[in-house]
Amino acid sequence: MLHDRNDERITVRPHKSIPLADGMPIVGSIKELSGDIRAFLTEQYLSHGPVFRIKVLHRSFTVLAGPDANQFAVRDGRELFSTKETWQEHTASFGAQRSLLTMDGPDHVRMRKIQRKGYSRGAIEVEIPRAVELAREQIREWPVNKTIPGLYSLQSIIADQIGMAATGVLPREYMDDLIYFFRVVLLTTLTKQRPRILQLAPRFKRARKRVLELGQEVIDRHAIEKQEDEKTDLIDDILKLAREEPEFLPQSDVLISVLGPFIAGLDTAASATSFMLYALLTHPDIMARACEEADRIFAQGELTAERLKEFDVIHRVVLETYRMYPISPALQRTAKKAFVFNNCEIPEGESIILATTVPHYLPDIYPKPEIFDIDRYTPERKENSRPGTFVPFGLGAHTCLGAGFAEVQMMLTIATILHEAELVMDPPDYKLKIDPRPGPKPDDKFGFQVVRHKRI
C-alpha cells in the first residue's frame, strides 16, 4: 500500500495477524495458565514472537512479551494501559471504590507520592535492629528435628516485620485469617480461578471480619495526629490525606490502603523469601558462602543499614531468586486506546497480559537459565543490565512501591536465619513444586528441619 507524504513515496505494511497460543478447543490455555505461567508464556514467545493471543474459556488476552515489549510498556504504558478493570473487583472486596491499584493518571501519581515513603527501603532500614529481633524471636521457637512448614514460617516473620515497620501493629493473632482472606479475594477477583460465590462462605466471612478488625486496630493506634517533628509512618500519611482531602480519599477507601502492606507482604516478600531459602537448601556451596558472610557481618555488631551494604553473596542470591522464581510473572492490563506493537494492531478495550518475566529465561540473555547461578550479577558479567531483561517487580507507572523494602527484608531475614540456625530440607528429597494460585510460591510440602540452634 503506497501513500504520498511530503513528496516522498513510502511503503506502509499491512498489520500482521496475531497468532493464537497453544491450547485445547473450548477451554483454550486454561491448563497451562493454571500451572507455571512464566514457563508457558516463555514457550509461546519462542514459538510465536513478542505478540500472541491466549484463550481461556470465554475470555481472550493479547500477550506482549520479551525485552522490547517491556521497554515499550515502560515508555508508553502510562498512556496506553489501565489497571482499573483488573483490580476493581479486588478493591470492592474491601468495601472500597478506589485503591492505588485501580488508579491511573494524575490520581495514581499523587497516591504513589503519598505512600512512597512508607513503602520505601528507608522505612525498613531504620527498623533493621527490631526486624532482626522479630525474626530471632520466631527462629528460636523452631523445634529441633521436627518438620517446620517453609512458606508459613516465613509468612509469619515477614508479616511481623511489615506490621512493625509500616503499621505499628504485629498481626500474629490474625495470621491465618489474613492468609485465607487475601488468598480467596485474589482467586475470586483477580485470577478468577475460583467462583465469586466462595466469598459468601461462612469461613470467608469470618476471616473478612477479622481482617477488617486488624485494619481498624491499626487505624485506632494512629488516631492521634502527630506533630510535624514526630516520626510518621505509612498509616500516618494515609490518615492525614483522608482527614485533609476526604473527596480524594474518603473513609470507605482508607481501610484497603491501611491493609496494603499486609496484602503485599504475604503474597510477595514471603513467597520470594521462601524461594530463596529453598534455593540455598538445594545449593550447599552457596549456602556455605552465605552462612560465612552472615556470621562475619553479624560478628561486627548490630545489623544496620550501613552493614547491610556489605552483603554480597546474599544480595546476589536475592537477585537470582528474583530471576528464577518471579512472584509476579506477568501483569494484566486493559488497552485504554488502540495501538500498534510489532506491527500488530491492538484494539481499544483489549485485555492485555504483559509477560514481563519472559526474558528471565531466554538463553541469549541468561546463559543456561535453568541453573541457579549467583555469579550472573558480578561486575564481570552483569547479565541483568540490559534494559527490559530483569523485571521482578513489574514496570512502568505501577512498578511495585515496596521493591526496596522487600529486598531489605529478604536479606536481613535470610541472614538472620543462617546466623541463628543450621537447617536441612525436609523431606530431604523434596523437589520444588510451585503453587501458582493465586501467585507463585512453594507448595505446602516445602519444609525444613532445624539441625541445631547456633546461638542458644
Side-chain angles (χ1 to χ4, degrees), residues 14-82:
H15 293 139
K16 297 189 297 186
S17 61
I18 300 176
L20 180 64
D22 299 341
M24 300 290 290
I26 302 176
V27 297
S29 303
I30 190 169
K31 180 181 177 181
E32 291 79 4
L33 291 176
S34 297
D36 189 340
I37 298 171
R38 192 273 319 151
F40 172 66
L41 294 175
T42 303
E43 210 173 87
Q44 300 308 306
Y45 167 81
L46 293 172
S47 296
H48 301 298
V51 186
F52 52 92
R53 292 177 63 236
I54 290 177
K55 285 189 175 180
V56 184
L57 296 175
H58 60 284
R59 304 174 70 195
S60 66
F61 302 87
T62 295
V63 180
L64 309 184
D68 291 343
N70 285 344
Q71 291 187 74
F72 172 79
V74 170
R75 185 180 67 246
D76 298 325
R78 189 186 298 274
E79 177 186 357
L80 297 178
F81 302 135
S82 167

Side-chain angles (χ1 to χ4, degrees), residues 117 224-233:
K117 184 185 73 172
I224 300 175
E225 187 175 355
K226 294 183 179 178
Q227 301 299 316
E228 283 196 18
D229 58 345
E230 288 186 90
K231 179 179 177 291
T232 59
D233 61 18

